[in-house]
Each structure stands twice: as structure tokens, then as C-alpha cells.
Amino acid sequence: MTEGMSAKALEEQASRRLGGQNRIRLLGICFAAAFLAIAAQLTHLTLFPKSDESSVRPVVEDRLPRPDIVDRNGVLLATDVAVASIFADPSKIIDIDEAVELLTATMPDLNARDLRRKLTTAKRFAWIKRQVSPEERDAVYNLGIPGVSYVNERRRVYPQGRLGAHVTGYVDLDNKGIAGIEQYLDNQGAIYTASLADPAEHRSAPAQLSVDMRVQATMIDEISDAIIKFGAIAGGGIVMNVKTGEILSLVSLPDFNPNQEKKNFTRDQQNRMTSGVYELGSVIKAVTFAMALDYGTASLESRFDARYPLVIGSARISDFRPQRRVLTLPEVFTFSSNIGTARMALEVGTERHQEFLRRVGLMDRLQTELPESARPLLPRRWSKLATATAAFGHGFAVQPLQGAAVVAGLINGGHLIAPTLLRRSEQDALALSRTIVKPETSALLRQLFRLNAQVGSASKADVIGYRVGGKTGTAEKVVNGRYSKDNRITSFIGAFPMDDPQYLVLVMLDEPKATPGTYGFATAGWNAVPTAGKVIERIAPMLGVEPVFSAEDLEKIAKLEAKQATEKE
């Protein structure tokens, strides 16, 4: 009995021992499994970090880089360069005070208070500084601050600086277009941008513009000199191919530097050629002459009574240089007679006047690749007086580029072509154009333009050999709700060579002053016109326009040479 009891006890004892061992083994297996699971997760997190937009920014963007921007000759205007941006994960920073001290010592332009606020936030991500230099990137990396690192980004740079600022525009810190062609490439030009892309190479072909940096530099040079010489507050200029609508130069001064880190530009730096509207004065007279000639209400033999001011109700329309006689149509043009031009428009009639302005596009907003586009300022009510004054540009304000495009259409054979900042062939331009006047009307207008450069107000732009033609404009500015006789916008719009126009030139000056050299005058003929003449003289050879010298031109050259020889003696 004792032995049996002892055997049973031993069996139970062995069974308990075995059960305990099994439990230990099971517990060990559980611990091992848990350890392996933790190790696997740590390995996974190390090799494949969790993507969290609130804490991690991608090192390489999935989208294609912005395309480079080049001028018509391949000159680089905008491109991307690789840069780094410093960021922090505040939850990983052990000593905030130390981090702030080290970072501000390495990057002195950081604000310690703002940095501390960023590092004490509950968010997992905070920018410390965007687009740093390689030296700053390496210096921060070498600090070894937990939670502080950098990501690789792209920075947009503009190698030509101010030279093409209003054309190219600029981007923000995230490389999104904010103005100019840069904004066009992101927005309405997205299809064009996509056509440049080469996903296989992860790059894009350059966006080639119509502008010519040689012409652009010349225009900036001459407008800058004119602003200084005539004491103007601003100025601008345009050069356009009249047969394609391509803009070779678009300048507005004051301008800005698109490479500037803080883009806090002022209103004075806006693009006056498209985002502002101005009364271009007598430049609009060219439209009135084209209208009357095209409708057949006037011809070169027509005469207009300019002996006395034109009275409409309580208003009196007079001339700046009154001739006080009956003028022929060419004389109305060359003497820039407000009276004669108003009578011309009244003979056409108010309704047909409005219809013609719609036909040439002056009643609508001009749309180009540039997002900065102002709507024309029109008379509120088209009365008889409004027709008379709008005929010579009074109370009728448009973009300078819009005025240039219309005049180009009037002298190129009658084809209104939308201006563009992208390359365009003559064939494509003609397909996109619409007819606004008869070819015969266009030929007559070219004749009047050329005559005005020979004997009229545009004579100071008549560069020998290039058969320049044009029209001047001097308009009073509105100051405090009233027209001011002391504040003017002066402008010149012309083309060359006038027998077969290739290029249009517009020059505008804002509030030019009289100088001793202008004999007390501050009208367009004394400032905008000679400025345009200097531009034409310099760009014509660049553009391949060969001079043709008539007998009269050769005589002028001989006289100039004789004068210069006398002055040397």
C-alpha cells in the first residue's frame, strides 16, 4: 500500500513537473514571438518609414520639374536649381533651448522667438528655413540636433534678373507660378506645358518665348534714359512683329527683380503695358481715321472745318496747335487736330462708331498669356459728345498693348492678330486673324503714318533709311477726379519700314517734364518720339531690316556729316 501510494505520488509529481515545463516553454515561445514581432516592426519602420504628411515631406517630388523658359534665340530666362530646406519634427527635439541657440547661431537671420514657437508646437512638422545655401545645409546637418533635418527641393532662378521680369513673372516658395508666363504655365497654359513634358526623362523641353533679349535690353536702356532725361515717374515700351503678333519686347519701368527673396512689390512696379489702362490720346485718332476711310465717309481729299472750336452742348473741343482754317484729311492727321477728328467721327455716327470699336476689339478685355490684363475704360453713355471726344482718345482708356495690337492690324493689311509671347509663324497668325479693314484702307493709313514722320509730329522718330511712320499722343491724366494740364501721358506708336511694315514700336512716358532742350514743351513729339527713334535705330539692324536710302536720305546724311565736321572744327 505504501509502495503503491508512493508510486502514485511520484507519477503526480512527474506530471506536475512536466506541466510546469510545458508552461515555461509556452511562455518562452510567447515572449520570443512578441520579441520577433517588435523586431520586425522596428526593422520595417527603419527600412520603410511611415509616410505622414504632417511629419514628413517627400525628398523628391513626383511631378515633373517646371520647364525652363528661354527667349526666341535660346537665351535662358528661368530655370530650376537644386536646393535644400531645413525642417524639424518638434516631438523629437530633446532640448528646445539648445536647439534654438544652435540654429540661430548657425543661421543668424532666423528669429529666435518665431523658431521657439515652431519647435513647441504639437505638430510633427515645421519649416525652419526654406531654400538654404549648401553651406547652411551642411552646417545644420553637422549640428546633429535630433528631429532637425532637410529635404531636397527646387528653387526657381532668373539668370537675366530684371531684364524680363514682367514677361517671365515669378513663382512662390513652392514653385507655383504667381505672375507672368510662370503663372500661365501653371494655369491656362497647362496643356502647352504638358506638351513640353518628357516623362521618360523626367524633364520638360524649354518653353520658348517670342521675346528677344537683345531688343528687350535696348528698350529698357532707352526707356530708362528717357525717364531720367525728362523727369518722368514711369515709362514702358513694346516691340511687336505686325505679321505674327509676336511680342519681341515688353518693358514697364519701374520693374522688379524676380530673384528677390521677399516678393513685396509695390503698385508702381506693376506691368503698365497690360495691367493698367491709359488714355493714349491721339494714338486713338488712327482708329478714327481708319474707321472713316473704311466706311467711305471720308477720303484723302476730304476737308474739315477747324477754324473755330467745336461746340457740343456746354463742351468746347479745341486744338493744341490751332491752325484756324479748313484742313485736309492728311493735315488733320499731321496737325493732330481734335476738331477735325471729332467732326470725322460725327460724320460716321455714334452707332457705327461703337460698331467699329467692337470690330477692332477696343470694347473688350485683351487676353494674352499674361494673366495681368485690364479691361478698357469706356464712356458710360455713348452720346454725341462721347463719340466726339472718344474719337481723339479722351475719356477712352485701354491697355497700351491693346492699342499696339489694334494699330498693327490697321497697318498690316487689315488683319487683327492677337498678340502673343510664344513663338508663332506668319502662317499660323494669319489663320488666327480676322479682317478689320479693307487692304485699301490699310494702305491709306500707312501713307498717313509715313507722312506724319516726314512732316508731322513724329518727325523726330524718322530714322534715315528705315521709312518710319507713326502717330503721337499726349493725354492729360486724371488727378483727384479732374483732368490735370500739368500731368500727362505721352506716347508714340509707329512701325518700320512703312512701305511693308515688319515691326511696331510703342513708347509711353508717365508725367514727363519740359526741359531746356524741349523749349518748355512736354508733349509726345519732344520726348516719346525721339526715344522711339533711338530704339528703332538700334534694333532695326538686330532684326535684319536693311536700310534703303532715297536721294532725299542721302542728302540728309550729307548735311549731317557736314554739320558734324563743322562742329569738330
Side-chain angles (χ1 to χ4, degrees):
M1 185 73 175
T2 305
E3 292 179 2
M5 294 281 298
S6 177
K8 186 176 182 180
L10 290 173
E11 184 179 349
E12 290 177 354
Q13 185 178 1
S15 178
R16 286 195 298 272
R17 186 181 300 114
L18 181 61
Q21 290 174 349
N22 288 338
R23 284 193 293 273
I24 291 171
R25 289 194 189 98
L26 180 61
L27 187 62
I29 290 171
C30 290
F31 274 114
F35 177 79
L36 288 174
I38 294 171
Q41 180 68 9
L42 289 173
T43 302
H44 178 78
L45 290 174
T46 302
L47 297 177
F48 309 102
K50 182 180 178 182
S51 177
D52 183 357
E53 292 183 357
S54 66
S55 60
V56 179
R57 291 292 173 104
V59 175
V60 179
E61 298 180 4
D62 292 331
R63 64 182 177 87
L64 288 170
R66 297 185 69 84
D68 288 348
I69 301 175
V70 298
D71 85 336
R72 67 186 303 109
N73 300 312
V75 176
L76 188 63
L77 305 181
T79 190
D80 284 352
V81 295
V83 294
S85 290
I86 310 298
F87 72 94
D89 180 350
S91 66
K92 294 181 179 180
I93 294 180
I94 299 171
D95 190 332
I96 292 178
D97 291 334
E98 182 185 32
V100 170
E101 183 179 349
L102 291 173
L103 289 171
T104 52
T106 305
M107 296 179 286
D109 57 330
L110 291 179
N111 183 286
R113 180 179 297 178
D114 291 342
L115 180 58
R116 185 180 300 278
R117 177 178 52 79
K118 290 179 180 180
L119 299 183
T120 54
T121 181
K123 295 180 180 180
R124 295 287 307 280
F125 182 91
W127 284 119
I128 293 179
K129 187 177 180 182
R130 302 288 298 275
Q131 300 182 351
V132 300
S133 66
E135 292 77 15
E136 286 181 315
R137 176 201 63 194
D138 293 344
V140 171
Y141 182 77
N142 291 333
L143 292 175
I145 303 174
V148 176
S149 187
Y150 67 88
V151 293
N152 295 317
E153 294 190 301
R154 291 187 289 267
R155 179 178 181 176
R156 198 65 162 171
V157 296
Y158 303 91
Q160 305 303 319
R162 295 175 175 272
L163 195 56
H166 285 110
V167 174
T168 57
Y170 54 92
V171 299
D172 63 11
L173 278 174
D174 293 312
N175 249 16
K176 294 180 181 178
I178 298 299
I181 288 293
E182 293 283 30
Q183 186 173 344
Y184 168 79
L185 293 175
D186 282 354
N187 297 343
Q188 65 266 40
I191 295 176
Y192 171 70
T193 308
S195 71
L196 303 172
D198 185 355
E201 299 291 334
H202 199 72
R203 62 181 177 82
S204 295
Q208 189 167 38
L209 305 188
S210 61
V211 295
D212 186 325
M213 283 298 106
R214 301 171 304 166
V215 179
Q216 181 81 351
T218 301
M219 182 65 82
I220 288 179
D221 191 24
E222 295 299 342
I223 296 294
S224 297
D225 287 349
I227 289 174
I228 296 171
K229 181 177 181 179
F230 301 109
I233 63 172
I238 294 168
V239 177
M240 180 191 300
N241 185 320
V242 302
K243 295 186 176 181
T244 65
E246 293 175 297
I247 299 169
L248 277 72
S249 173
L250 189 148
V251 171
S252 179
L253 300 178
D255 55 12
F256 58 88
N257 186 351
N259 293 310
Q260 186 175 316
E261 187 173 344
K262 294 183 178 179
K263 308 287 195 298
N264 52 345
F265 304 128
T266 65
R267 183 176 177 82
D268 288 339
Q269 294 170 298
Q270 69 174 339
N271 182 1
R272 286 173 164 79
M273 298 297 100
T274 62
S275 63
V277 294
Y278 303 90
E279 292 186 9
L280 297 180
S282 296
V283 169
I284 299 299
K285 285 179 181 172
V287 178
T288 305
F289 277 76
M291 172 183 68
L293 292 168
D294 206 60
Y295 279 135
T297 59
S299 68
L300 293 185
E301 289 72 37
S302 296
R303 295 174 175 272
F304 300 89
D305 189 353
R307 291 175 296 174
Y308 310 103
L310 176 62
V311 179
I312 301 177
S314 60
R316 289 167 59 89
I317 295 172
S318 57
D319 288 339
F320 180 72
R321 293 183 298 166
Q323 300 300 303
R324 295 185 176 87
R325 61 182 175 86
V326 175
L327 302 175
T328 64
L329 185 142
E331 287 177 327
V332 172
F333 197 88
T334 56
F335 287 122
S336 201
S337 170
N338 294 338
I339 299 170
T341 308
R343 290 189 184 278
M344 198 180 302
L346 292 173
E347 289 182 5
V348 170
T350 299
E351 290 186 6
R352 289 203 295 176
H353 187 196
Q354 292 180 74
E355 186 278 328
F356 189 81
L357 292 175
R358 289 192 188 93
R359 187 199 306 178
V360 300
L362 286 175
M363 303 282 269
D364 304 311
R365 184 198 301 265
L366 175 68
Q367 298 289 348
T368 67
E369 293 83 11
L370 296 181
E372 303 85 18
S373 174
R375 186 179 298 278
L377 185 62
L378 309 173
R380 293 182 180 178
R381 188 173 67 89
W382 280 92
S383 60
K384 181 180 179 180
L385 179 61
T387 295
T389 56
F392 53 88
H394 189 80
F396 188 87
V398 297
Q399 300 176 32
L401 179 58
Q402 190 166 15
V406 171
V407 171
L410 295 178
I411 63 175
N412 69 2
H415 307 291
L416 183 64
I417 303 171
T420 181
L421 283 158
L422 302 178
R423 293 295 298 270
R424 180 195 284 160
S425 69
E426 190 173 332
Q427 183 178 1
D428 289 341
L430 194 59
L432 294 170
S433 69
R434 73 172 191 268
T435 302
I436 52 174
V437 293
K438 297 185 285 289
E440 298 80 13
T441 302
S442 182
L444 291 174
L445 211 61
R446 291 197 296 271
Q447 184 178 336
L448 291 172
F449 268 58
R450 178 63 184 139
L451 180 65
N452 196 43
Q454 290 174 311
V455 301
S457 59
S459 60
K460 294 184 184 300
D462 190 18
V463 182
I464 298 174
Y466 291 108
R467 293 92 71 207
V468 178
K471 189 74 185 79
T472 60
T474 302
E476 296 174 353
K477 290 179 65 175
V478 176
V479 179
N480 297 325
R482 300 176 64 87
Y483 284 98
S484 170
K485 295 185 179 296
D486 298 323
N487 302 93
R488 308 174 183 86
I489 294 284
T490 62
S491 55
F492 167 84
I493 190 164
F496 67 96
M498 234 25 244
D499 49 345
D500 182 20
Q502 302 294 318
Y503 299 101
L504 174 143
V505 175
L506 179 145
V507 167
M508 186 183 84
L509 296 174
D510 192 347
E511 296 188 19
K513 312 297 188 298
T515 68
T518 65
Y519 305 99
F521 293 102
T523 50
W526 292 96
N527 44 62
V529 173
T531 302
K534 292 178 180 178
V535 171
I536 293 170
E537 187 174 24
R538 292 177 62 181
I539 69 172
M542 296 178 190
L543 299 175
V545 179
E546 296 185 3
V548 175
F549 300 107
S550 64
E552 183 181 354
D553 291 334
L554 294 174
E555 186 179 344
K556 287 181 180 179
I557 293 173
K559 289 182 178 178
L560 285 173
E561 290 176 346
K563 182 180 179 182
Q564 290 172 354
T566 303
E567 289 175 350
K568 287 181 180 179
E569 293 175 358

